[in-house]
Amino acid sequence: HVSRIARSLRIAAVLGAIAIGSEPLAAQNAPRTGAYDPKLCPSCAAWNAPHTPVRIIGNTYYVGTDGLSALLLTSSEGHVLIDAGLPESAAPILASIRALGFRVEDVKLIVNSHAHYDHAGGVADIQRATGARVVASASSAKVLRTGKAGRDDPQFGVALPFPAVARVDELTDGDTLRVGPLAIVAHLTPGHTPGGTSWSWRSCEGTRCVNVVYADSQTPISDDTFRYSASTTYPTAVQDFRRGHALLERLPCDLLITPHPGASDLWARIAARESGGTPALVDSGACKRLAQRSRDALEKRLATERSPTR
């Protein structure tokens, strides 16, 4: 048990240096509710630090914490929430929705990028608070219903559990989900997890509309036992990553947001916008650059697996 935690902390330290949004890992035996032990999740406290809610563009708002994205898409007929952070992120996310002047009861739909504790942990509490419908890919839905990573998850051995979600509907690739005039499109982008899903929609300010992409994590990280090049539990992981990279390169993408805001330099871009640098937020090349960085990271990981010292 002690060696397992130490191994997780070593992985976390290495992954923290990756610029495309990697996640420190932790052991499987954390408590299901309440704050995670910092020995098991050394980054949870920093991820969950509060952040003032902010309008991204039009009817798209950031309501997450400092290190974990949660997005609110609003309309007069109901709202959509994308991702819900850690279990202890649920309360600040709900508080941010209220601080913007919206009713949490008007959140009608909750969707997810991937079913790890740091992006799906708050779904159960927010579902109870709002009564919203939860929809996820078939693979992610299985994990959400149990609160535990499946054996096909590259991080199975170190992924923390989270509160199970009572009701989860399933989607398929390319589905458009609607709440009143809101329409968001699901794009399956597995690899980081078997059920990973990216989302796209259009947000407008007056006559100016942009294509927003919430790109799921594309980092090839795992527990100590998993090999992307030779996995029996998730044999299509490499092909899935490569399909996701190609998808992100061809999606209409004017504004990129990621589950960890630092992976897409969101705070720096917003700061630049506030100082008059609007183009720093709207960047039609951001998805392509993310895809290339992710592709490079995958090839580096595969090369490492081929090394005799691995």
Side-chain angles (χ1 to χ4, degrees):
H1 174 73
V2 173
S3 63
R4 191 182 193 187
I5 292 174
R7 187 164 61 246
S8 296
L9 293 175
R10 289 196 301 272
I11 295 171
V14 172
L15 294 175
I18 298 176
I20 57 174
S22 61
E23 305 170 19
L25 305 177
Q28 188 78 19
N29 58 347
R32 289 183 59 80
T33 58
Y36 290 121
D37 185 332
K39 292 181 180 179
L40 301 178
C41 184
S43 292
C44 278
W47 283 341
N48 207 48
H51 197 286
T52 302
V54 60
R55 185 197 297 264
I56 301 295
I57 190 167
N59 63 342
T60 298
Y61 297 84
Y62 188 97
V63 294
T65 60
D66 193 61
L68 299 171
S69 297
L71 302 181
L72 185 72
L73 283 57
T74 66
S75 81
S76 60
E77 298 178 42
H79 315 316
V80 176
L81 180 70
I82 306 177
D83 274 353
L86 295 160
E88 58 267 41
S89 303
I93 289 171
L94 292 170
S96 288
I97 293 171
R98 294 186 180 103
L100 289 168
F102 300 110
R103 289 173 9 106
V104 299
E105 296 83 2
D106 291 333
V107 175
K108 304 301 183 185
L109 174 66
I110 301 170
V111 298
N112 177 236
S113 56
H114 64 273
H116 278 164
Y117 65 98
D118 51 341
H119 306 292
V123 171
D125 282 348
I126 294 177
Q127 182 190 53
R128 282 192 290 269
T130 62
R133 178 189 182 206
V134 176
V135 184
S137 67
S139 178
S140 289
K142 293 177 183 177
V143 178
L144 289 169
R145 292 176 188 130
T146 64
K148 296 180 181 179
R151 290 190 175 275
D152 54 355
D153 190 322
Q155 297 181 37
F156 170 74
V158 290
L160 288 165
F162 56 87
V165 181
R167 303 177 309 280
V168 186
D169 295 332
E170 297 182 8
L171 58 81
T172 57
D173 190 26
D175 281 356
T176 298
L177 306 184
R178 300 181 184 276
V179 173
L182 301 176
I184 59 171
V185 182
H187 307 277
L188 297 188
T189 48
H192 185 76
T193 68
T197 307
S198 297
W199 298 90
S200 66
W201 63 94
R202 285 175 65 80
S203 279
C204 302
E205 289 183 343
T207 58
R208 176 182 179 236
C209 296
V210 301
N211 297 299
V212 185
V213 172
Y214 188 66
D216 186 29
S217 297
Q218 296 293 299
T219 47
I221 57 179
S222 70
D223 63 30
D224 283 351
T225 66
F226 188 86
R227 299 291 183 272
Y228 284 93
S229 55
S231 171
T232 58
T233 58
Y234 186 12
T236 63
V238 172
Q239 299 95 306
D240 286 350
F241 263 131
R242 288 173 174 159
R243 281 193 293 269
H245 300 157
L247 171 71
L248 289 174
E249 287 178 326
R250 67 175 182 267
L251 268 182
C253 175
D254 303 314
L255 200 162
L256 170 68
I257 310 172
T258 48
H260 288 273
S264 47
D265 297 321
L266 182 63
W267 302 137
R269 291 156 58 213
I270 287 178
R273 180 186 68 179
E274 298 304 316
S275 65
T278 301
L281 188 58
V282 176
D283 180 354
S284 60
C287 279
K288 292 181 175 65
R289 291 195 299 274
L290 175 66
Q292 187 57 55
R293 292 197 302 271
S294 302
R295 184 180 290 114
D296 292 345
L298 176 63
E299 295 308 316
K300 183 176 180 179
R301 170 61 188 259
L302 293 175
T304 299
E305 291 184 2
R306 290 191 292 270
S307 171
T309 60
R310 169 74 178 176

